[in-house]
Amino acid sequence: MIVEKLGNETQVYMHFEAADADLIYRQPDTLAVEVGDKLSIGIPAHRCHLFHSDGPACQRLYKENGV
């Protein structure tokens, strides 16, 4: 896990070995998390952006305004 505290937001980069996948979690403002901490998050389905392992985006199930 890599934690970047950028002032206006905190970005947490995580790798899931069992799924061979990466996740970037962005939190507005400052998030009190450090490398080695356990982090519980929820991802609203309409805000989740998924990609196939070869790069293309997965089909979105929700239509966002302006997209």
Side-chain angles (χ1 to χ4, degrees), residues 7 14 21 24 39-40 42 45 48 58 64:
M14 296 173 270
I24 301 170
L39 180 63
S40 296
C48 189
C58 296
E64 286 190 64

Side-chain angles (χ1 to χ4, degrees), residues 4 10 12-13 20 27 30 32 38 41-42 44 48 60 63 66:
E4 286 190 290
T10 300
V12 182
Y13 300 83
D20 192 30
Q27 171 74 37
T30 301
K38 289 186 178 183
I41 61 172
C48 189
R60 303 283 313 262
K63 177 81 171 139

Side-chain angles (χ1 to χ4, degrees), residues 7-42:
N8 65 322
E9 72 178 18
T10 300
Q11 295 183 359
V12 182
Y13 300 83
M14 296 173 270
H15 179 74
F16 298 97
E17 290 182 24
D20 192 30
D22 295 324
L23 173 78
I24 301 170
Y25 177 74
R26 294 174 55 195
Q27 171 74 37
D29 207 2
T30 301
L31 181 64
V33 64
E34 301 296 333
V35 173
D37 288 351
K38 289 186 178 183
L39 180 63
S40 296
I41 61 172

